[in-house]
Structure formats: C-alpha cells, structure tokens
Amino acid sequence: MTVQEQLEASRRLLHALSQVHADFITHGDHRPIFEQLLVLMVELTRSERGVIAEVQRSPDGAPALQLHAVCAWPDALADLRTLAGGALASGEPVMLPAPALPGEALDGAHPPAFLGMPFKLQGDVVGVVGLGLRPGGYDAFHVSFLQPVLTTCGTLIHARREAERRHQGELALTAQQALMKKLALVAARTDNAVIITDSTGRTEWVNEGFTRITGYTLEETVGRKPGELLQGPDTDRKSIVAMSEALHRGEGITVELLNYGKSGRPYWNLIEVQPVHDADGKIVQFVAIESDVTARKQLQQQVSESAERLRLALDSAEDGLWDWNVRTHELTVSPRWLLMLGYEPTLKTSFEFWSQHLCHPEDLPEAHRRLTEHMEGRTPMYEFEHRLRHKDGSWVWVLGRAKVVERDEQGRAVRVVGINSDITSRRRAQEHLQAFIQAIPDMILRVRADGLCLGFKPSALEPTFMSPDAFLGRNIYETSLPEQLLTHLRAALQRVTHDSSLEIFEFPMEMPFGIHQYEARVVPSGPDEGTCIVRNITARKLVEEQRRRQQEQLEERVRHATRELESRQAQLIQSEKLASLGQMAASIAHEINNPVGYVSSNVSTLGGYISVLRRLLELHMRMEEALPPEAREAVAELLEQIRTVREQEHLDELLQDMDDLLSDTKEGTARIREFIQDLKTFVREESGTTQQADLNKLLQVTLRMLRHELKHKVQVRLDFGPMPLVRCYPTQLNQVFMNLLLNAAQAIEPRGDIHITTRREGSEAVVWIRDTGRGMSQETLERLFTPFFTTKPAGQGTGLGLSICYAIISRHKGRIQVDSELGKGTTFLVRLPLSEE
C-alpha cells in the first residue's frame, strides 16, 4: 500500500470504529457489530475471507471457539482452528502460507496467505480474528494496522460479558430476603466486593473480594462507613449525594464511583446497593455489590480518544466520501464531497444525478467500465481520475477510489463505498509542467536505472532520426544511440540514483552533416530513475574555441607589453638611482672620512701612550738587572723612579683611556663596513623575482644611507609596529623610501621633524611618512605623480622621483596616497598587500 492509501485506510478504520462504538452504546447488540468489523477488515486489507470468533474455556481449561462473524469462508470454524492453535498458545499473530487447510502441505516460499490475530482482555486471550487469501500476502504492517480493531473486539467481548454478569447480579438481588445469608456465604468467594451494613450505613461484614480490591480487611472495616475508607479527593460528590438520597428513601441504586484503596491506588467501582427490609418493611440492612471496572473505564477512555482523533481527522480531511446503494441507486455523500463541487451540504444526490449532470461525458464510459470490472470482482478496487462539473460550470479533476463492501448471496455487489480527492491543482500543475517541458528545445529522456525508457521528448531544433515509440518502453542501452553516450549515461544514472547528485558530461555524435558536440545533464527524478537532458553545444564549443584563441593572443600581447614596460621601467629606475648616487657622493666621502679620522687620531695617541709604557718597561728591566741581594739600595732607588714616572704620566688614566680609544676605533671601522654594505644593497641591480622582506629593516637601511642629509636639519621620530614579511622587490622599496624621505627633508626649512610609523591593518602593511615642512597646494597635489613634474629650480630635479615611486608601488599591487596643506606639512601613506605564504 502507498502512504496515501495507508492514510485513507486509517481514516476509514477510525471512522468505522467510532461508529461501531456508537452503535453498541445505542443498541447493545454485538453480533451485527462484529459483522461490520469483519467486513471493514476484509475490505481494508483486500482479503477474500474473514472470521471473528470468541475463545471460551471449559471448566477444565480447554479452549473452545464461538463464531461471531464469517465472511466468504465455507468451513471457517475448522480452518480457524489451524490458525488459532498457534495464536492461542503464544498469544501472538500467526501467518501461514497458502494453502492453510488441513491435510495440505505448506509452502514456506510463498507469502503468507492466512493471518490469525488473537485479541486479549486483561492479559488473557478472549478471541481471534482470521483473514485469508489477500493478494501479495500479509506482513507486520497489517498486524499493526488492525490493532485498533482487535482492541475494539476485546472491548465488545468484555462489555458483553459484563452485561451478562450484571444481569446475573440483578437476578440475584431480586431473590428473597430469606436467602441473603446464603448469598453472603456465596459472596464471600466471589471476585466482586460484597458489603453488608446496618441501617445507618456502618459496615457489618465484607467478603474476601472486598479485601482483594481495596486492601482493607474485615476487622478494619467493621463499624465504619465505607465512604470514610474509600472516597477520595476526585470522587464525584454528586454521585455520593444521589446515592445517599436514594438509600434514605429506601430505594436501590447503581452508581459508578472513583474510589481509593488502602495503598492510595485509585480505581473505578461499579456499586449496586439494595436495602433489606424486615417483615414490617423496616430497613434493617443494606447490601452492596461492587465491581472493579477500571479496565472498562480505561477502554472507554481509549475509545473516546480514538473517536475524538477520528473526528479531528475527518474535519481536517480534504477528501469527499460517498456510499452507493446499488439496489436503490441512492448515493450518500459527505458535506465535503458536495462543497468540493460548490453545492450546499444539504443537496440530495443519486447515481443518476452523478452520471447525467456531474461526470464529464468523455470520462463517463471509462468510469462505468472500471466500476463494472470491480463490481464483477475482476479488479481489487475501483480507481480512476476523471472530471466532475462544478456548480459554476467549471470542471474539477478528482481521483476516485472505491471498493465493494457488501454483496448478496449470489455475489452481486450491493454496496460500494468510495472517496474522491480533489486533484485539480495537481493536474493543472502537470499540464503546466508538460507545456514547460515541450517549450524546452532539448531532447529529454526519463530512464530507469536498468535502462528502461519511461519518457521521451524529442529535440525541437534537430531531428532524432527515431520516433518516440522507438524509445518508450524499450531498454535505452539496446537502441542505436552512440556507445559513448550510453556508457556515460549508465555511470551517471548509477551515481544520481545513489546520492541524488547532478551529473554533467559531453560527448560527440556523428551526424549526416558532420560531427556535433552534445552536453548531457542527468538529475534524479525518482527513487530508481533519472532524467537526462541532451543539448547540442556545437555552436557554443566553436564560440568557446574562438574566444580561447583570442584570449591566448591577447594574453601573449599583454605579456610582451608587460615585459617591455618592465624593462623600460627598470632602466628608468636604475637611471634615477645613478642620478641620486651622484648627489650622495659628497655625503659618502664625508661619512667615510669621519671614521677614518677616528682611526688615524686614535692610532697617533696610542703611539704616545706606548712610548710611556716603553720607558716604564725599561725601568723595570733595569730594576730586574739590579735585583741581586747585595744591591738592595740600588733596587730601592729604581723603584722610586718607577713610582715617580707613574705619577707624572698618570699611568692609570692612560691605561683606561686606551680602552676607550680602542672602542672608538672598532666602532668607526664597523660604521665603515656597515655603510659600504648598505651602499652595495641600495645600488645593486634587481634580480627580477620577489623576495620576503621586513619593511622596518628596509626603512632603517634607508635612514642610515641618508644620515648625513638628515642629521643637520631633521629630527627623525620612529614608531615601528610589529610587521609580518612582505613579498616585494626590496631595492625598489628602498628607492621609494629614499625619494620620500629626501623630499620631506628638502621641504623642511630650517629645521623640523619627520615621523615614520609602520602598522599592520588587516591584510595590508601600512607606512606613514609625515613631515613638518611647508606643504603643497591643491594644484601641486593634482600633478604630483605626473612624470617630469617638479617644483624644484631648474637643474635640481628630474621630476621622475614620485612618478617612479607610484609605478613601483603599483607594481607591488599597493597604493600610495598623499595628504598635504600649505604651511602644515605633508603625509605620504604607502599600503602594500601582505604575503599569503
């Protein structure tokens, strides 16, 4: 069964169960109700046979079956014993393959053709339902689906037995008063609770059934009113008052109360109280018989909840129900059936009205044919999509499903019950979708995973050389389509049916007018099928090839122009470097002469110090020569001379000064080495490949190169932040920083400050160079990066410095910005992208 069929069957089942409970409550006759339930189960499960039987046990415990309803089962009682045997023993459903008749072998390879399901009451099996000969057999779904029916059957058996039990109790209560003592003795052994009170309602005696139900013993109850022990917070006060008033009038009463046992457990109690009169008619005692009806109340609650759920399901259903009496031609329909067609719910209908005024003339013959086939038993059910006329004259598409639920003795259909579902929106959507599909110019195939072609639409732009009939219903892999297409299609179908993905592949196809290129897209369109859209992409491929060639040519031109531009730019930058080196020649000479002067001066001073040390050493040597013991006076004299020389020449200070002089000498030589190294770094030719570099170090190198230019007029203030490495051309960035710093120094008169700040901002390295110089006008700012534009006097500038800076930064995919105002200085901002390594 499909999910929709299961939902419809569940809805009908709940509706029928609700009606069954209502009929039983109204009429109290269980036999026709069992017959209704059996017809419902046979119909909903599409079985051919059915039986409902009650299990009754003899005094020795042997089970016996009593039939309550039989449907098309000739020897139901005999066959049911085969099904019920295992079910009664295990208390679980039993499924047997066909045949299931005594004396015939069972073939386990076939699906179960007979189903036996026991139904229980308070844990004991009280009956069994048998179904047989359903096409396709039975499974766990049918067992689960029919559980509400089994519960209803158990409820009916329980209610019938309870009715019989109450009837017997009523007969016992009408017996003569003289037999009350004997009845009490019998009541002591009954399952029901029996209470005897005096005329004031105080307990005189209770039986064992009372103790078993309530937990109170005879000793605990004597002299106390039952209500004091058994009534609780949820006991109905109105029922208590009604019982008190009836007993006060000397009348008997039957009432249901929620009582509480000794343990506090609530239970429902059916109480029947009768007064006992003496010979004078005076009430001397009351006898109460109480039954625990908790199980029945729970069943009633379940039935009530099921009925409520059924009511809500019917209210929310969008389908219309109909019931056709074949003999009288009376057609009974639900309000929803009429509202679906725009009529008032009170409209009286008939089969003739449906045939002559509602059903579309084109659909009527087919509807009659299918309905006749089902009524004659040639189809399991009636199902047909057709049109019905709306009250306003429009047509409503409906899906009609029906089944014969009653036949006469000759097997002729007597009653047919069905349902109509409004599928107008679905049909219109299908029509719109079909129109949309027809508007697509491509060829479309709907193919099952095994290759069976389920749908085909030819291309609107080119012939397929095969009619749709050559595809539909055939295995696509057995057609004359290209093997390359079929191979890719087979693999694509396996993938899309497995993981619901989209597969795209291309393939060539030899056509009478040449080889064409095609693209196929395969998408899942069902649990085990896919849809393939085939499009001719020959023209697109030609355009793509033409664009590819044009792009390659353009890229080659750009590469050639870029190489030529880079070559010229490198030449220009190198020329600018050489021009700048000429201006720095004097500074370089000065920077080299200073440390050389340190070395020369310190070496001269060191010579004088060494001569003093030599004199001191000579005295020491002479003293050593005069050291024999016999010349102590001579030694003493020499020692005095040494002391005199040390004091006169300040030997201790001389030695300390020698250390400082040597330190200065080392520093001077280090500065020479550092300066020469920076000079080599600055003027060397760029290699053509980028390198990882630290912007802070590049700025420090540039500042050392410009120390002589800056130190007499500029105070440089550094604010370097932690910076990651930048992929760049280091020599070119040195050129940029040198040009910006020189321009800043030349703009300062007479003295000022240059502030250099470095920071990382997101994915960029940022350098600020701000001076306190004279600033620039707006006109100058607009032409600042124009080649050969300069504000310097003739002969003092080429006008290429800032244009080269702009080109270098652009080559690094960065940005250079300037902010300046006359009299307030200038700030250059350089932004470079950070390396992704």
Side-chain angles (χ1 to χ4, degrees):
M1 295 176 67
T2 64
V3 174
Q4 186 174 4
E5 291 174 344
Q6 293 177 8
L7 292 176
E8 173 59 18
S10 299
R11 187 193 63 75
R12 293 187 58 195
L13 179 63
L14 292 176
H15 176 69
L17 292 180
S18 177
Q19 187 64 39
V20 163
H21 286 287
D23 292 344
F24 181 74
I25 293 173
T26 303
H27 305 292
D29 189 359
H30 67 280
R31 285 194 174 276
I33 293 177
F34 279 122
E35 292 175 357
Q36 294 178 24
L37 289 176
L38 182 60
V39 169
L40 178 66
M41 287 189 290
V42 169
E43 176 190 350
L44 293 182
T45 60
R46 302 179 183 176
S47 302
E48 294 184 7
R49 297 180 178 181
V51 62
I52 299 177
E54 179 182 358
V55 177
Q56 297 180 340
R57 298 189 181 273
S58 61
D60 60 354
L65 297 177
Q66 178 184 357
L67 296 180
H68 287 303
V70 179
C71 179
W73 205 319
D75 195 8
L77 189 59
D79 297 341
L80 185 60
R81 291 194 182 98
T82 303
L83 291 172
L88 295 179
S90 63
E92 300 294 335
V94 173
M95 300 182 192
L96 296 176
L101 301 178
E104 296 182 356
L106 299 177
D107 185 4
H110 292 82
F114 295 91
L115 171 63
M117 296 178 291
F119 51 88
K120 301 178 181 180
L121 179 62
Q122 297 181 351
D124 296 328
V125 177
V126 296
V128 65
V129 172
L131 297 173
L133 302 183
R134 177 189 181 275
Y138 301 92
D139 53 25
F141 166 75
H142 299 95
V143 176
S144 175
F145 174 72
L146 295 175
Q147 283 303 314
V149 181
L150 299 180
T151 302
T152 301
C153 290
T155 303
L156 293 175
I157 294 296
H158 175 75
R160 187 181 65 82
R161 292 180 178 181
E162 284 294 319
E164 294 177 355
R165 187 179 295 114
R166 283 199 303 272
H167 180 65
Q168 293 174 0
E170 291 173 358
L171 293 177
L173 289 175
T174 59
Q176 299 178 359
Q177 295 180 0
L179 298 178
M180 287 300 296
K181 291 184 180 181
K182 294 181 180 181
L183 179 61
L185 294 176
V186 176
R189 299 297 181 181
T190 187
D191 290 336
N192 294 336
V194 179
I195 308 172
I196 300 177
T197 69
D198 60 15
S199 59
T200 63
R202 297 190 179 276
T203 304
E204 293 180 345
W205 180 84
V206 296
N207 69 340
E208 295 177 1
F210 179 86
T211 302
R212 186 167 48 254
I213 294 174
T214 66
Y216 291 103
T217 62
L218 176 61
E219 292 76 11
E220 293 174 320
T221 58
V222 171
R224 303 179 65 179
K225 293 185 177 182
E228 298 176 357
L229 299 174
L230 305 179
Q231 296 171 9
D234 292 332
T235 304
D236 185 16
R237 299 302 169 186
K238 294 182 179 180
S239 299
I240 296 174
V241 172
M243 184 170 58
S244 298
E245 292 176 350
L247 296 180
H248 183 72
R249 294 191 301 268
E251 301 174 355
I253 188 172
T254 301
V255 66
E256 285 186 357
L257 287 179
L258 179 65
N259 284 347
Y260 293 83
K262 184 178 180 179
S263 63
R265 177 187 67 87
Y267 67 96
W268 279 97
N269 201 16
L270 177 61
I271 305 173
E272 299 180 6
V273 185
Q274 293 292 338
V276 179
H277 300 81
D278 58 10
D280 299 329
K282 181 180 179 181
I283 297 177
V284 294
Q285 287 179 324
F286 290 100
V287 177
I289 299 177
E290 301 181 354
S291 302
D292 187 347
V293 294
T294 303
R296 177 171 63 80
K297 294 291 288 186
Q298 291 176 347
L299 289 175
Q300 290 177 349
Q301 178 67 20
Q302 293 176 1
V303 170
S304 176
E305 293 175 354
S306 299
E308 178 63 17
R309 287 195 295 269
L310 176 61
R311 185 188 65 79
L312 294 176
L314 292 175
D315 290 343
S316 60
E318 295 295 328
D319 302 329
L321 306 178
W322 54 272
D323 189 339
W324 177 35
N325 189 320
V326 181
R327 292 175 177 173
T328 63
H329 292 284
E330 181 183 359
L331 184 64
T332 304
V333 298
S334 67
R336 174 59 188 166
W337 194 94
L338 291 169
L339 292 174
M340 190 185 304
L341 301 177
Y343 293 98
E344 297 296 329
T346 57
L347 178 69
K348 298 297 182 181
T349 60
S350 64
F351 187 79
E352 287 74 14
F353 180 76
W354 175 84
S355 301
Q356 298 175 8
H357 300 284
L358 297 182
C359 188
H360 196 286
E362 297 177 1
D363 300 334
L364 185 60
E366 181 65 16
H368 277 308
R369 185 188 69 80
R370 296 195 183 194
L371 191 57
T372 301
E373 287 182 350
H374 172 63
M375 294 172 62
E376 293 176 354
R378 288 181 287 167
T379 58
M381 70 179 300
Y382 163 80
E383 184 172 0
F384 183 49
E385 292 184 1
H386 58 285
R387 289 161 288 182
L388 295 179
R389 189 189 303 274
H390 195 274
K391 185 178 180 180
D392 60 10
S394 61
W395 295 101
V396 177
W397 276 97
V398 298
L399 171 61
R401 292 192 179 95
K403 190 174 181 65
V404 175
V405 297
E406 184 179 353
R407 295 181 182 271
D408 59 14
E409 296 178 355
Q410 288 75 33
R412 293 189 296 267
V414 175
R415 184 182 174 198
V416 182
V417 176
I419 184 171
N420 281 358
S421 302
D422 188 345
I423 60 171
T424 305
S425 298
R426 192 192 75 187
R427 291 286 300 202
R428 289 176 179 171
Q430 290 176 347
E431 294 173 356
H432 294 163
L433 178 61
Q434 188 64 26
F436 175 76
I437 292 175
Q438 292 299 326
I440 298 176
D442 307 322
M443 182 177 70
I444 301 176
L445 293 166
R446 190 164 65 92
V447 186
R448 209 164 61 187
D450 59 3
L452 182 65
C453 183
L454 304 176
F456 174 79
K457 188 197 81 67
S459 172
L461 301 179
E462 55 187 357
T464 59
F465 305 105
M466 294 178 69
S467 65
D469 295 338
F471 291 93
L472 290 175
R474 293 188 56 189
N475 193 306
I476 196 71
Y477 304 124
E478 298 176 357
T479 62
S480 59
L481 290 176
E483 183 63 27
Q484 188 174 3
L485 166 62
L486 298 179
T487 301
H488 285 88
L489 180 59
R490 188 191 304 271
L493 282 174
Q494 292 178 353
R495 286 191 291 270
V496 301
T497 55
H498 181 265
D499 54 14
S500 299
S501 59
L502 167 66
E503 292 292 328
I504 303 176
F505 61 89
E506 298 178 0
F507 64 94
M509 182 182 293
E510 186 172 356
M511 305 294 286
F513 35 81
I515 297 178
H516 281 202
Q517 295 290 331
Y518 291 86
E519 177 188 80
R521 293 173 174 261
V522 184
V523 296
S525 56
D528 193 32
E529 66 179 54
T531 297
C532 178
I533 303 175
V534 181
R535 172 174 295 181
N536 190 328
I537 59 171
T538 304
R540 191 187 78 187
K541 284 292 186 180
L542 293 175
V543 172
E544 289 177 354
E545 179 64 21
Q546 182 178 4
R547 289 179 178 177
R548 185 187 64 80
R549 293 177 181 177
Q550 292 176 351
Q551 184 176 1
E552 289 179 354
Q553 295 174 358
L554 180 60
E555 289 177 352
E556 180 59 30
R557 292 177 182 176
V558 171
R559 285 194 295 269
H560 177 75
T562 302
R563 288 194 297 268
E564 183 177 355
L565 180 61
E566 289 178 348
S567 176
R568 294 180 180 180
Q569 185 179 16
Q571 295 175 4
L572 183 61
I573 291 174
Q574 193 64 21
S575 299
E576 183 67 16
K577 284 183 182 180
L578 294 177
S580 300
L581 287 175
Q583 298 178 8
M584 292 192 301
S587 298
I588 293 175
H590 179 75
E591 291 294 336
I592 293 178
N593 286 335
N594 280 343
V596 170
Y598 296 158
V599 175
S600 177
S601 175
N602 291 343
V603 169
S604 176
T605 304
L606 187 60
Y609 291 163
I610 291 175
S611 64
V612 174
L613 293 175
R614 184 179 295 111
R615 289 171 54 194
L616 183 60
L617 289 175
E618 289 176 356
L619 292 175
H620 275 282
M621 291 174 62
R622 289 172 59 188
M623 182 182 65
E624 290 176 358
E625 292 176 356
L627 274 180
E630 60 274 13
R632 295 189 177 192
E633 293 182 359
V635 171
E637 183 180 355
L638 289 174
L639 290 175
E640 181 63 26
Q641 292 178 2
I642 291 172
R643 185 179 303 110
T644 302
V645 172
R646 188 174 60 217
E647 292 176 354
Q648 290 178 351
E649 299 296 336
H650 305 286
L651 184 59
D652 295 335
E653 296 178 3
L654 184 147
L655 294 175
Q656 180 64 37
D657 199 17
M658 286 179 63
D659 294 335
D660 296 338
L661 292 175
L662 290 176
S663 177
D664 292 342
T665 303
K666 292 179 181 180
E667 180 182 357
T669 56
R671 287 180 58 187
I672 294 173
R673 188 183 307 109
E674 181 182 41
F675 182 80
I676 295 302
Q677 183 63 34
D678 292 343
L679 184 60
K680 289 179 179 180
T681 300
F682 186 79
V683 300
R684 73 167 177 260
E685 188 74 22
E686 200 70 69
S687 63
T689 60
T690 59
Q691 305 174 24
Q692 295 278 21
D694 187 339
L695 292 184
N696 291 341
K697 291 184 179 180
L698 293 180
L699 286 165
Q700 290 173 347
V701 168
T702 305
L703 287 172
R704 285 197 296 268
M705 293 294 298
L706 299 176
R707 182 184 293 113
H708 181 69
E709 291 288 335
L710 302 178
K711 68 181 181 179
H712 297 297
K713 60 185 303 187
V714 173
Q715 177 68 38
V716 179
R717 304 183 185 276
L718 304 180
D719 182 10
F720 288 171
M723 298 287 285
L725 298 180
V726 176
R727 173 67 67 177
C728 64
Y729 298 95
T731 303
Q732 294 185 14
L733 290 185
N734 276 333
Q735 178 72 31
V736 171
F737 297 147
M738 187 191 75
N739 286 344
L740 296 180
L741 290 172
L742 283 175
N743 286 344
Q746 293 169 1
I748 294 175
E749 292 294 344
R751 293 188 59 85
D753 296 336
I754 295 178
H755 298 264
I756 304 176
T757 303
T758 62
R759 291 288 187 274
R760 173 178 180 170
E761 290 187 355
S763 60
E764 293 181 325
V766 186
V767 179
W768 288 270
I769 299 179
R770 179 171 60 86
D771 64 64
T772 58
R774 55 180 173 269
M776 292 179 283
S777 64
Q778 185 63 34
E779 181 182 358
T780 300
L781 288 174
E782 292 176 355
R783 303 179 59 191
L784 190 62
F785 297 108
T786 302
F788 306 109
F789 172 76
T790 179
T791 58
K792 299 177 183 178
Q796 296 186 14
T798 63
L800 294 175
L802 289 179
S803 63
I804 290 176
C805 291
Y806 185 87
I808 292 174
I809 298 303
S810 298
R811 185 185 183 190
H812 284 78
K813 298 181 180 179
R815 293 172 293 165
I816 182 170
Q817 301 169 331
V818 60
D819 182 19
S820 182
E821 187 176 349
L822 286 174
K824 295 185 178 181
T826 302
T827 299
F828 280 91
L829 177 64
V830 177
R831 293 181 176 271
L832 296 171
L834 293 177
S835 172
E836 297 180 356
E837 300 180 4

